[in-house]
């Protein structure tokens, strides 16, 4: 689309992490071919809830990708989050994981249920 006809807007989006500027995390840039199209895109994001814990989880994931061995204090410094925000994001991620439906193909051949060798913990 030619830049002359393009219109842009920033919208809140807790799933968006800016690639270069952490201060812009949570703000997605929309580009559309005209005002009507932009309005439709903005409406889609208005209908999506902004979940602070989702944004915080993204900040934590990015920090740990760059520096996997951060302790809690370093993680707070790098992300700009406090300990309560870090805890809430971890709780949110756990709840999302538990709500995810499992696929019938998750238990392939060879796994016979909870007592199979694949699923048992190995002795230390």
């Amino acid at each position: 689309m030619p830049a002359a006809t393009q219109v842009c807007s920033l919208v809140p989006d807790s799933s968006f992490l800016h690639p270069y500027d952490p201060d812009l995390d949570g703000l997605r840039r929309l580009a559309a071919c005209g005002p009507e199209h932009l309005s439709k895109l903005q409406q889609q994001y208005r209908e999506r809830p902004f979940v602070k814990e989702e944004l915080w989880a993204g900040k934590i994931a990015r920090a740990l990708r760059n520096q996997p061995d951060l302790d809690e204090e370093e993680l707070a410094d790098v992300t700009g989050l406090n300990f309560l925000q870090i805890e809430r994001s971890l709780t949110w991620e756990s709840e999302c994981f538990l709500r995810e439906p499992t696929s019938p193909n998750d238990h392939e051949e060879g796994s016979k249920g909870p007592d199979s060798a694949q699923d048992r913990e190995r002795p230390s």
Side-chain angles (χ1 to χ4, degrees):
M1 117 181 61
T5 62
Q6 187 178 44
V7 291
C8 299
S9 174
L10 288 176
V11 295
D13 179 0
S14 56
S15 71
F16 179 76
L17 295 178
H18 193 275
Y20 311 111
D21 187 352
D23 290 336
L24 293 175
D25 289 346
L27 291 173
R28 181 179 296 276
R29 182 176 186 262
L30 299 179
C33 56
E36 186 177 319
H37 182 218
L38 182 63
S39 179
K40 287 179 184 178
L41 293 174
Q42 289 170 322
Q43 183 59 37
Q44 289 175 357
Y45 282 92
R46 272 189 219 104
E47 293 171 2
R48 185 188 190 281
F50 188 94
V51 180
K52 292 182 284 189
E53 292 82 359
E54 178 181 34
L55 178 62
W56 300 337
K59 288 177 174 282
I60 292 167
R62 175 176 54 207
L64 293 174
R65 268 193 311 274
N66 294 331
Q67 301 174 54
D69 297 325
L70 294 174
D71 65 26
E72 281 187 23
E73 230 170 274
E74 292 167 328
L75 185 60
D77 287 341
V78 169
T79 60
L81 302 173
N82 62 45
F83 296 122
L84 180 58
Q85 291 169 323
I86 292 169
E87 181 63 32
R88 284 179 51 191
S89 73
L90 295 173
T91 299
W92 176 83
E93 280 192 309
S94 296
E95 290 170 355
C96 287
F97 177 77
L98 293 173
R99 281 193 303 260
E100 275 186 16
T102 56
S103 165
N105 297 329
D106 283 352
H107 298 286
E108 302 275 330
E109 273 187 38
S111 175
K112 307 283 190 245
D115 294 327
S116 73
Q118 288 178 315
D119 297 329
R120 284 192 302 245
E121 288 186 13
R122 293 187 179 144
S124 312

